Short mmCIF file of all heavy atoms in Angstrom, two decimals:
data_model
loop_
_atom_site.label_atom_id
_atom_site.label_comp_id
_atom_site.label_asym_id
_atom_site.label_seq_id
_atom_site.Cartn_x
_atom_site.Cartn_y
_atom_site.Cartn_z
N TYR Y 450 -28.89 80.30 -95.87
CA TYR Y 450 -27.49 80.63 -95.98
C TYR Y 450 -27.22 81.36 -97.33
O TYR Y 450 -28.09 81.43 -98.17
CB TYR Y 450 -26.63 79.35 -95.93
CG TYR Y 450 -26.85 78.41 -97.11
CD1 TYR Y 450 -25.95 78.38 -98.19
CD2 TYR Y 450 -27.92 77.52 -97.13
CE1 TYR Y 450 -26.15 77.52 -99.29
CE2 TYR Y 450 -28.12 76.66 -98.17
CZ TYR Y 450 -27.23 76.67 -99.25
OH TYR Y 450 -27.43 75.82 -100.30
N THR Y 451 -26.00 81.82 -97.47
CA THR Y 451 -25.54 82.46 -98.71
C THR Y 451 -24.14 82.12 -98.94
O THR Y 451 -23.43 81.61 -98.06
CB THR Y 451 -25.75 83.97 -98.67
OG1 THR Y 451 -25.52 84.50 -99.97
CG2 THR Y 451 -24.81 84.58 -97.63
N GLY Y 452 -23.61 82.32 -100.19
CA GLY Y 452 -22.22 82.08 -100.46
C GLY Y 452 -22.01 81.22 -101.67
O GLY Y 452 -22.93 80.88 -102.42
N SER Y 453 -20.73 80.81 -101.83
CA SER Y 453 -20.37 79.95 -102.97
C SER Y 453 -19.13 79.15 -102.56
O SER Y 453 -18.51 79.39 -101.49
CB SER Y 453 -20.01 80.86 -104.17
OG SER Y 453 -18.86 81.65 -103.82
N VAL Y 454 -18.83 78.17 -103.40
CA VAL Y 454 -17.56 77.38 -103.17
C VAL Y 454 -16.38 78.19 -103.11
O VAL Y 454 -15.46 78.06 -102.27
CB VAL Y 454 -17.47 76.23 -104.23
CG1 VAL Y 454 -16.13 75.61 -104.16
CG2 VAL Y 454 -18.59 75.23 -104.12
N LYS Y 455 -16.36 79.18 -104.01
CA LYS Y 455 -15.13 80.06 -104.08
C LYS Y 455 -14.97 80.93 -102.85
O LYS Y 455 -13.87 81.10 -102.30
CB LYS Y 455 -15.24 80.99 -105.32
CG LYS Y 455 -14.09 81.90 -105.49
CD LYS Y 455 -14.25 82.77 -106.73
CE LYS Y 455 -13.05 83.70 -106.93
NZ LYS Y 455 -13.21 84.58 -108.12
N ASN Y 456 -16.07 81.51 -102.35
CA ASN Y 456 -15.98 82.49 -101.24
C ASN Y 456 -16.41 81.89 -99.87
O ASN Y 456 -16.29 82.55 -98.88
CB ASN Y 456 -16.85 83.66 -101.57
CG ASN Y 456 -16.42 84.43 -102.82
OD1 ASN Y 456 -15.23 84.65 -103.00
ND2 ASN Y 456 -17.37 84.73 -103.67
N GLY Y 457 -16.92 80.66 -99.90
CA GLY Y 457 -17.38 80.04 -98.68
C GLY Y 457 -18.83 80.36 -98.39
O GLY Y 457 -19.44 81.26 -99.00
N PHE Y 458 -19.44 79.59 -97.51
CA PHE Y 458 -20.84 79.80 -97.15
C PHE Y 458 -20.99 80.28 -95.72
O PHE Y 458 -20.15 79.96 -94.88
CB PHE Y 458 -21.61 78.43 -97.30
CG PHE Y 458 -21.67 77.92 -98.75
CD1 PHE Y 458 -20.64 77.01 -99.19
CD2 PHE Y 458 -22.64 78.30 -99.61
CE1 PHE Y 458 -20.66 76.54 -100.47
CE2 PHE Y 458 -22.68 77.83 -100.92
CZ PHE Y 458 -21.71 76.97 -101.37
N MET Y 459 -22.09 81.02 -95.50
CA MET Y 459 -22.32 81.53 -94.17
C MET Y 459 -23.83 81.65 -93.90
O MET Y 459 -24.64 81.66 -94.83
CB MET Y 459 -21.65 82.88 -93.96
CG MET Y 459 -22.23 84.03 -94.80
SD MET Y 459 -21.46 85.63 -94.47
CE MET Y 459 -19.78 85.28 -95.10
N ARG Y 460 -24.16 81.76 -92.63
CA ARG Y 460 -25.55 81.88 -92.17
C ARG Y 460 -26.10 83.19 -92.71
O ARG Y 460 -25.50 84.26 -92.48
CB ARG Y 460 -25.62 81.78 -90.70
CG ARG Y 460 -25.03 80.51 -90.13
CD ARG Y 460 -24.95 80.55 -88.60
NE ARG Y 460 -24.24 79.37 -88.10
CZ ARG Y 460 -24.13 79.05 -86.82
NH1 ARG Y 460 -24.60 79.90 -85.89
NH2 ARG Y 460 -23.52 77.98 -86.40
N GLU Y 461 -27.26 83.14 -93.34
CA GLU Y 461 -27.90 84.38 -93.83
C GLU Y 461 -29.36 84.14 -94.02
O GLU Y 461 -29.81 83.14 -94.65
CB GLU Y 461 -27.24 84.76 -95.16
CG GLU Y 461 -27.84 86.02 -95.77
CD GLU Y 461 -26.99 87.25 -95.52
OE1 GLU Y 461 -25.85 87.10 -94.88
OE2 GLU Y 461 -27.34 88.37 -95.96
N GLY Y 462 -30.21 84.94 -93.41
CA GLY Y 462 -31.66 84.75 -93.52
C GLY Y 462 -32.25 84.28 -92.16
O GLY Y 462 -31.78 84.81 -91.10
N THR Y 463 -33.11 83.35 -92.15
CA THR Y 463 -33.72 82.83 -90.94
C THR Y 463 -33.14 81.49 -90.58
O THR Y 463 -33.02 80.61 -91.49
CB THR Y 463 -35.25 82.68 -91.07
OG1 THR Y 463 -35.81 83.98 -91.44
CG2 THR Y 463 -35.89 82.24 -89.79
N GLY Y 464 -32.78 81.27 -89.33
CA GLY Y 464 -32.23 80.02 -88.93
C GLY Y 464 -32.18 79.82 -87.44
O GLY Y 464 -32.44 80.74 -86.68
N LYS Y 465 -31.90 78.53 -87.05
CA LYS Y 465 -31.85 78.12 -85.67
C LYS Y 465 -30.38 77.79 -85.28
O LYS Y 465 -29.73 77.07 -86.01
CB LYS Y 465 -32.70 76.92 -85.38
CG LYS Y 465 -34.20 77.12 -85.68
CD LYS Y 465 -34.96 75.83 -85.46
CE LYS Y 465 -36.43 75.99 -85.80
NZ LYS Y 465 -37.18 74.67 -85.64
N GLU Y 466 -29.94 78.30 -84.11
CA GLU Y 466 -28.66 77.91 -83.62
C GLU Y 466 -28.91 76.95 -82.36
O GLU Y 466 -29.82 77.24 -81.57
CB GLU Y 466 -27.91 79.12 -83.11
CG GLU Y 466 -26.48 78.77 -82.65
CD GLU Y 466 -25.66 80.03 -82.35
OE1 GLU Y 466 -26.27 81.03 -81.98
OE2 GLU Y 466 -24.42 79.98 -82.56
N TYR Y 467 -28.17 75.88 -82.28
CA TYR Y 467 -28.44 74.87 -81.28
C TYR Y 467 -27.34 74.86 -80.19
O TYR Y 467 -26.20 75.14 -80.45
CB TYR Y 467 -28.54 73.48 -81.94
CG TYR Y 467 -29.69 73.25 -82.82
CD1 TYR Y 467 -29.70 73.64 -84.12
CD2 TYR Y 467 -30.85 72.65 -82.31
CE1 TYR Y 467 -30.82 73.56 -84.93
CE2 TYR Y 467 -31.97 72.51 -83.09
CZ TYR Y 467 -31.97 72.94 -84.41
OH TYR Y 467 -33.08 72.77 -85.21
N ALA Y 468 -27.80 74.53 -78.98
CA ALA Y 468 -26.89 74.40 -77.85
C ALA Y 468 -26.07 73.15 -77.99
O ALA Y 468 -26.37 72.28 -78.92
CB ALA Y 468 -27.66 74.39 -76.58
N LYS Y 469 -25.03 72.96 -77.23
CA LYS Y 469 -24.20 71.77 -77.27
C LYS Y 469 -25.05 70.50 -77.16
O LYS Y 469 -25.89 70.40 -76.29
CB LYS Y 469 -23.19 71.82 -76.13
CG LYS Y 469 -22.11 70.71 -76.23
CD LYS Y 469 -21.09 70.92 -75.14
CE LYS Y 469 -20.00 69.82 -75.27
NZ LYS Y 469 -18.97 70.00 -74.18
N GLY Y 470 -24.82 69.61 -78.06
CA GLY Y 470 -25.67 68.34 -78.14
C GLY Y 470 -26.56 68.36 -79.30
O GLY Y 470 -27.02 67.28 -79.77
N GLY Y 471 -26.84 69.56 -79.87
CA GLY Y 471 -27.58 69.61 -81.15
C GLY Y 471 -29.09 69.36 -81.07
O GLY Y 471 -29.73 69.17 -82.07
N ARG Y 472 -29.66 69.36 -79.85
CA ARG Y 472 -31.11 69.10 -79.74
C ARG Y 472 -31.93 70.31 -79.35
O ARG Y 472 -33.07 70.45 -79.74
CB ARG Y 472 -31.31 67.98 -78.74
CG ARG Y 472 -30.66 66.65 -79.15
CD ARG Y 472 -30.94 65.52 -78.09
NE ARG Y 472 -32.36 65.25 -78.00
CZ ARG Y 472 -32.90 64.43 -77.11
NH1 ARG Y 472 -32.09 63.86 -76.21
NH2 ARG Y 472 -34.19 64.21 -77.11
N ILE Y 473 -31.34 71.15 -78.48
CA ILE Y 473 -32.07 72.29 -77.95
C ILE Y 473 -31.69 73.58 -78.66
O ILE Y 473 -30.52 73.94 -78.78
CB ILE Y 473 -31.85 72.43 -76.43
CG1 ILE Y 473 -32.33 71.14 -75.69
CG2 ILE Y 473 -32.58 73.65 -75.85
CD1 ILE Y 473 -32.04 71.13 -74.25
N VAL Y 474 -32.69 74.28 -79.13
CA VAL Y 474 -32.47 75.56 -79.80
C VAL Y 474 -32.08 76.66 -78.80
O VAL Y 474 -32.75 76.79 -77.75
CB VAL Y 474 -33.76 76.05 -80.54
CG1 VAL Y 474 -33.55 77.42 -81.17
CG2 VAL Y 474 -34.10 75.03 -81.68
N GLU Y 475 -30.99 77.36 -79.09
CA GLU Y 475 -30.64 78.44 -78.18
C GLU Y 475 -30.84 79.85 -78.83
O GLU Y 475 -30.75 80.86 -78.16
CB GLU Y 475 -29.18 78.35 -77.70
CG GLU Y 475 -28.13 78.46 -78.74
CD GLU Y 475 -26.74 78.33 -78.11
OE1 GLU Y 475 -26.67 77.97 -76.95
OE2 GLU Y 475 -25.77 78.59 -78.84
N TYR Y 476 -31.10 79.84 -80.13
CA TYR Y 476 -31.44 81.10 -80.84
C TYR Y 476 -32.28 80.75 -82.09
O TYR Y 476 -31.95 79.81 -82.82
CB TYR Y 476 -30.22 81.87 -81.22
CG TYR Y 476 -30.48 83.09 -82.04
CD1 TYR Y 476 -30.90 84.30 -81.56
CD2 TYR Y 476 -30.39 83.01 -83.47
CE1 TYR Y 476 -31.23 85.37 -82.32
CE2 TYR Y 476 -30.71 84.15 -84.29
CZ TYR Y 476 -31.11 85.30 -83.67
OH TYR Y 476 -31.40 86.40 -84.49
N PHE Y 477 -33.33 81.55 -82.32
CA PHE Y 477 -34.12 81.39 -83.51
C PHE Y 477 -34.38 82.79 -84.02
O PHE Y 477 -34.94 83.64 -83.30
CB PHE Y 477 -35.37 80.63 -83.36
CG PHE Y 477 -36.31 80.62 -84.53
CD1 PHE Y 477 -35.91 79.93 -85.71
CD2 PHE Y 477 -37.46 81.30 -84.55
CE1 PHE Y 477 -36.70 79.93 -86.79
CE2 PHE Y 477 -38.26 81.31 -85.67
CZ PHE Y 477 -37.89 80.62 -86.83
N GLY Y 478 -34.04 83.05 -85.29
CA GLY Y 478 -34.28 84.36 -85.79
C GLY Y 478 -33.46 84.64 -87.07
O GLY Y 478 -33.03 83.78 -87.78
N ASP Y 479 -33.15 85.98 -87.23
CA ASP Y 479 -32.51 86.45 -88.42
C ASP Y 479 -30.97 86.40 -88.25
O ASP Y 479 -30.43 86.57 -87.18
CB ASP Y 479 -32.92 87.92 -88.73
CG ASP Y 479 -34.41 88.04 -88.95
OD1 ASP Y 479 -34.96 87.08 -89.50
OD2 ASP Y 479 -34.99 89.11 -88.64
N TRP Y 480 -30.32 86.23 -89.48
CA TRP Y 480 -28.90 86.17 -89.54
C TRP Y 480 -28.41 87.03 -90.77
O TRP Y 480 -29.11 87.14 -91.72
CB TRP Y 480 -28.39 84.74 -89.75
CG TRP Y 480 -28.71 83.86 -88.66
CD1 TRP Y 480 -29.86 83.21 -88.41
CD2 TRP Y 480 -27.81 83.44 -87.61
NE1 TRP Y 480 -29.82 82.46 -87.26
CE2 TRP Y 480 -28.56 82.57 -86.69
CE3 TRP Y 480 -26.46 83.67 -87.28
CZ2 TRP Y 480 -27.98 81.93 -85.64
CZ3 TRP Y 480 -25.94 83.12 -86.14
CH2 TRP Y 480 -26.67 82.24 -85.34
N LYS Y 481 -27.21 87.63 -90.61
CA LYS Y 481 -26.61 88.34 -91.65
C LYS Y 481 -25.07 88.24 -91.53
O LYS Y 481 -24.54 88.41 -90.41
CB LYS Y 481 -27.01 89.82 -91.64
CG LYS Y 481 -26.47 90.63 -92.86
CD LYS Y 481 -27.01 92.06 -92.85
CE LYS Y 481 -26.52 92.84 -94.05
NZ LYS Y 481 -27.06 94.24 -94.05
N ASN Y 482 -24.40 87.89 -92.61
CA ASN Y 482 -22.97 87.72 -92.61
C ASN Y 482 -22.51 86.76 -91.50
O ASN Y 482 -21.44 86.94 -90.89
CB ASN Y 482 -22.28 89.08 -92.40
CG ASN Y 482 -22.49 90.01 -93.59
OD1 ASN Y 482 -22.60 89.57 -94.75
ND2 ASN Y 482 -22.56 91.28 -93.31
N GLY Y 483 -23.29 85.68 -91.28
CA GLY Y 483 -22.88 84.68 -90.32
C GLY Y 483 -23.14 85.01 -88.87
O GLY Y 483 -22.87 84.22 -88.01
N LYS Y 484 -23.82 86.15 -88.62
CA LYS Y 484 -24.05 86.62 -87.21
C LYS Y 484 -25.55 86.88 -87.02
O LYS Y 484 -26.30 87.17 -87.90
CB LYS Y 484 -23.23 87.85 -86.88
CG LYS Y 484 -21.73 87.64 -86.91
CD LYS Y 484 -21.03 88.90 -86.57
CE LYS Y 484 -19.49 88.72 -86.60
NZ LYS Y 484 -18.74 89.96 -86.28
N ARG Y 485 -25.96 86.80 -85.74
CA ARG Y 485 -27.34 87.14 -85.37
C ARG Y 485 -27.52 88.62 -85.77
O ARG Y 485 -26.80 89.52 -85.33
CB ARG Y 485 -27.54 86.91 -83.89
CG ARG Y 485 -27.33 85.52 -83.39
CD ARG Y 485 -27.50 85.43 -81.90
NE ARG Y 485 -27.22 84.03 -81.44
CZ ARG Y 485 -27.37 83.66 -80.17
NH1 ARG Y 485 -27.77 84.52 -79.25
NH2 ARG Y 485 -27.08 82.40 -79.82
N ASN Y 486 -28.58 88.89 -86.53
CA ASN Y 486 -28.79 90.25 -87.06
C ASN Y 486 -30.20 90.42 -87.49
O ASN Y 486 -30.63 89.72 -88.40
CB ASN Y 486 -27.86 90.56 -88.19
CG ASN Y 486 -27.50 92.04 -88.34
OD1 ASN Y 486 -26.45 92.50 -87.95
ND2 ASN Y 486 -28.46 92.75 -88.97
N GLY Y 487 -30.96 91.30 -86.82
CA GLY Y 487 -32.39 91.50 -87.14
C GLY Y 487 -33.19 91.19 -85.93
O GLY Y 487 -32.87 91.56 -84.81
N ILE Y 488 -34.30 90.47 -86.12
CA ILE Y 488 -35.19 90.07 -84.99
C ILE Y 488 -34.94 88.63 -84.65
O ILE Y 488 -34.93 87.73 -85.50
CB ILE Y 488 -36.65 90.27 -85.38
CG1 ILE Y 488 -36.94 91.72 -85.82
CG2 ILE Y 488 -37.57 89.93 -84.22
CD1 ILE Y 488 -36.69 92.76 -84.79
N GLY Y 489 -34.76 88.38 -83.33
CA GLY Y 489 -34.54 86.98 -82.94
C GLY Y 489 -34.82 86.75 -81.47
O GLY Y 489 -34.91 87.71 -80.65
N THR Y 490 -34.94 85.49 -81.09
CA THR Y 490 -35.20 85.09 -79.70
C THR Y 490 -34.12 84.19 -79.26
O THR Y 490 -33.74 83.26 -79.92
CB THR Y 490 -36.58 84.30 -79.64
OG1 THR Y 490 -37.61 85.17 -80.14
CG2 THR Y 490 -36.83 83.92 -78.21
N GLU Y 491 -33.59 84.49 -77.99
CA GLU Y 491 -32.55 83.65 -77.37
C GLU Y 491 -33.19 82.82 -76.29
O GLU Y 491 -34.00 83.34 -75.53
CB GLU Y 491 -31.48 84.58 -76.80
CG GLU Y 491 -30.29 83.82 -76.20
CD GLU Y 491 -29.24 84.73 -75.69
OE1 GLU Y 491 -29.58 85.79 -75.16
OE2 GLU Y 491 -28.01 84.41 -75.82
N TYR Y 492 -32.76 81.53 -76.23
CA TYR Y 492 -33.33 80.62 -75.23
C TYR Y 492 -32.27 80.07 -74.30
O TYR Y 492 -31.13 79.96 -74.70
CB TYR Y 492 -34.00 79.41 -75.93
CG TYR Y 492 -35.09 79.80 -76.91
CD1 TYR Y 492 -34.84 80.11 -78.24
CD2 TYR Y 492 -36.42 79.77 -76.50
CE1 TYR Y 492 -35.84 80.43 -79.15
CE2 TYR Y 492 -37.44 80.11 -77.38
CZ TYR Y 492 -37.16 80.44 -78.71
OH TYR Y 492 -38.13 80.77 -79.58
N ARG Y 493 -32.68 79.60 -73.17
CA ARG Y 493 -31.86 78.77 -72.28
C ARG Y 493 -32.71 77.58 -71.86
O ARG Y 493 -33.71 77.78 -71.16
CB ARG Y 493 -31.34 79.52 -71.08
CG ARG Y 493 -30.50 78.67 -70.11
CD ARG Y 493 -29.94 79.45 -68.97
NE ARG Y 493 -29.03 80.47 -69.45
CZ ARG Y 493 -28.63 81.51 -68.71
NH1 ARG Y 493 -29.09 81.70 -67.45
NH2 ARG Y 493 -27.78 82.39 -69.19
N GLY Y 494 -32.37 76.41 -72.41
CA GLY Y 494 -33.25 75.27 -72.18
C GLY Y 494 -34.52 75.55 -73.01
O GLY Y 494 -34.46 75.79 -74.19
N LEU Y 495 -35.65 75.49 -72.38
CA LEU Y 495 -36.92 75.76 -73.10
C LEU Y 495 -37.47 77.15 -72.73
O LEU Y 495 -38.57 77.49 -73.09
CB LEU Y 495 -37.98 74.69 -72.73
CG LEU Y 495 -37.61 73.27 -73.08
CD1 LEU Y 495 -38.65 72.31 -72.64
CD2 LEU Y 495 -37.38 73.12 -74.58
N ARG Y 496 -36.66 77.93 -71.99
CA ARG Y 496 -37.11 79.27 -71.50
C ARG Y 496 -36.55 80.31 -72.40
O ARG Y 496 -35.45 80.32 -72.81
CB ARG Y 496 -36.74 79.50 -70.04
CG ARG Y 496 -37.37 78.52 -69.07
CD ARG Y 496 -36.97 78.93 -67.63
NE ARG Y 496 -37.63 78.07 -66.68
CZ ARG Y 496 -37.06 76.94 -66.18
NH1 ARG Y 496 -35.85 76.60 -66.59
NH2 ARG Y 496 -37.70 76.22 -65.29
N VAL Y 497 -37.34 81.37 -72.62
CA VAL Y 497 -36.93 82.51 -73.39
C VAL Y 497 -36.11 83.44 -72.47
O VAL Y 497 -36.53 83.78 -71.38
CB VAL Y 497 -38.17 83.29 -73.98
CG1 VAL Y 497 -37.74 84.60 -74.64
CG2 VAL Y 497 -38.93 82.42 -74.96
N LEU Y 498 -34.95 83.82 -73.02
CA LEU Y 498 -34.07 84.80 -72.25
C LEU Y 498 -34.23 86.24 -72.81
O LEU Y 498 -34.15 87.18 -72.06
CB LEU Y 498 -32.62 84.37 -72.36
CG LEU Y 498 -32.12 83.19 -71.60
CD1 LEU Y 498 -30.65 83.04 -71.76
CD2 LEU Y 498 -32.47 83.36 -70.08
N TYR Y 499 -34.41 86.30 -74.11
CA TYR Y 499 -34.41 87.61 -74.76
C TYR Y 499 -35.24 87.53 -76.05
O TYR Y 499 -35.11 86.59 -76.82
CB TYR Y 499 -33.00 88.10 -75.07
CG TYR Y 499 -32.91 89.38 -75.88
CD1 TYR Y 499 -33.02 90.62 -75.23
CD2 TYR Y 499 -32.77 89.37 -77.25
CE1 TYR Y 499 -32.93 91.79 -75.97
CE2 TYR Y 499 -32.67 90.54 -78.01
CZ TYR Y 499 -32.75 91.74 -77.32
OH TYR Y 499 -32.66 92.91 -78.04
N ILE Y 500 -36.08 88.57 -76.24
CA ILE Y 500 -36.80 88.72 -77.53
C ILE Y 500 -36.57 90.12 -78.03
O ILE Y 500 -36.81 91.08 -77.28
CB ILE Y 500 -38.29 88.53 -77.33
CG1 ILE Y 500 -38.63 87.13 -76.70
CG2 ILE Y 500 -39.07 88.66 -78.66
CD1 ILE Y 500 -40.07 86.95 -76.39
N GLY Y 501 -36.02 90.28 -79.25
CA GLY Y 501 -35.86 91.62 -79.74
C GLY Y 501 -34.85 91.70 -80.91
O GLY Y 501 -34.68 90.75 -81.63
N GLU Y 502 -34.25 92.84 -81.00
CA GLU Y 502 -33.37 93.17 -82.09
C GLU Y 502 -31.90 92.82 -81.81
O GLU Y 502 -31.47 92.85 -80.63
CB GLU Y 502 -33.47 94.65 -82.47
CG GLU Y 502 -34.87 95.05 -82.86
CD GLU Y 502 -34.98 96.55 -83.17
OE1 GLU Y 502 -34.65 97.33 -82.31
OE2 GLU Y 502 -35.44 96.90 -84.28
N TRP Y 503 -31.18 92.43 -82.91
CA TRP Y 503 -29.80 92.03 -82.80
C TRP Y 503 -29.05 92.77 -83.92
O TRP Y 503 -29.56 93.11 -84.99
CB TRP Y 503 -29.65 90.56 -83.02
CG TRP Y 503 -30.30 89.72 -81.96
CD1 TRP Y 503 -31.64 89.42 -81.89
CD2 TRP Y 503 -29.67 89.04 -80.89
NE1 TRP Y 503 -31.84 88.63 -80.81
CE2 TRP Y 503 -30.67 88.35 -80.17
CE3 TRP Y 503 -28.33 88.89 -80.49
CZ2 TRP Y 503 -30.40 87.57 -79.05
CZ3 TRP Y 503 -28.06 88.10 -79.37
CH2 TRP Y 503 -29.09 87.47 -78.69
N LYS Y 504 -27.73 92.95 -83.67
CA LYS Y 504 -26.83 93.56 -84.68
C LYS Y 504 -25.42 92.98 -84.47
O LYS Y 504 -24.89 93.03 -83.36
CB LYS Y 504 -26.85 95.09 -84.56
CG LYS Y 504 -26.01 95.74 -85.67
CD LYS Y 504 -26.11 97.28 -85.51
CE LYS Y 504 -25.32 97.98 -86.65
NZ LYS Y 504 -25.41 99.46 -86.49
N ASN Y 505 -24.87 92.45 -85.53
CA ASN Y 505 -23.52 91.91 -85.48
C ASN Y 505 -23.32 90.88 -84.31
O ASN Y 505 -22.27 90.91 -83.65
CB ASN Y 505 -22.47 93.04 -85.38
CG ASN Y 505 -22.37 93.89 -86.59
OD1 ASN Y 505 -22.55 93.35 -87.77
ND2 ASN Y 505 -22.15 95.17 -86.44
N GLY Y 506 -24.34 90.07 -84.13
CA GLY Y 506 -24.17 89.03 -83.09
C GLY Y 506 -24.53 89.43 -81.66
O GLY Y 506 -24.46 88.60 -80.78
N MET Y 507 -24.89 90.69 -81.48
CA MET Y 507 -25.21 91.16 -80.13
C MET Y 507 -26.60 91.80 -80.07
O MET Y 507 -27.13 92.30 -81.03
CB MET Y 507 -24.14 92.12 -79.66
CG MET Y 507 -22.79 91.50 -79.47
SD MET Y 507 -21.57 92.62 -78.73
CE MET Y 507 -21.25 93.72 -80.10
N LYS Y 508 -27.17 91.85 -78.83
CA LYS Y 508 -28.40 92.53 -78.63
C LYS Y 508 -28.22 93.97 -78.91
O LYS Y 508 -27.30 94.63 -78.40
CB LYS Y 508 -28.88 92.33 -77.16
CG LYS Y 508 -29.05 90.90 -76.73
CD LYS Y 508 -29.42 90.87 -75.22
CE LYS Y 508 -29.52 89.41 -74.70
NZ LYS Y 508 -28.15 88.80 -74.57
N ASP Y 509 -29.05 94.52 -79.82
CA ASP Y 509 -28.90 95.89 -80.23
C ASP Y 509 -30.20 96.44 -80.80
O ASP Y 509 -30.68 95.93 -81.80
CB ASP Y 509 -27.80 95.99 -81.25
CG ASP Y 509 -27.24 97.39 -81.39
OD1 ASP Y 509 -28.00 98.31 -81.81
OD2 ASP Y 509 -26.02 97.61 -81.12
N GLY Y 510 -30.74 97.44 -80.13
CA GLY Y 510 -32.10 97.94 -80.54
C GLY Y 510 -33.09 97.74 -79.43
O GLY Y 510 -32.74 97.73 -78.23
N LYS Y 511 -34.35 97.50 -79.73
CA LYS Y 511 -35.36 97.24 -78.76
C LYS Y 511 -35.43 95.80 -78.38
O LYS Y 511 -35.34 94.95 -79.27
CB LYS Y 511 -36.74 97.71 -79.27
CG LYS Y 511 -36.87 99.23 -79.47
CD LYS Y 511 -38.28 99.57 -79.93
CE LYS Y 511 -38.43 101.07 -80.16
NZ LYS Y 511 -39.77 101.46 -80.62
#
Side-chain angles (χ1 to χ4, degrees):
Y450 66 98
T451 188
S453 64
V454 170
K455 181 179 179 181
N456 299 316
F458 295 93
M459 66 178 66
R460 305 172 184 184
E461 182 100 2
T463 303
K465 299 176 182 178
E466 186 173 31
Y467 291 84
K469 188 175 181 179
R472 298 181 63 186
I473 299 176
V474 174
E475 65 178 11
Y476 173 82
F477 174 68
D479 297 330
W480 298 79
K481 185 176 181 180
N482 295 327
K484 297 180 179 181
R485 301 176 183 183
N486 206 101
I488 303 298
T490 302
E491 185 178 37
Y492 301 86
R493 179 176 295 164
L495 300 177
R496 297 185 178 92
V497 173
L498 285 184
Y499 174 83
I500 303 174
E502 296 178 306
W503 298 75
K504 184 177 180 181
N505 292 325
M507 294 187 286
K508 303 177 183 73
D509 200 297
K511 293 182 179 179

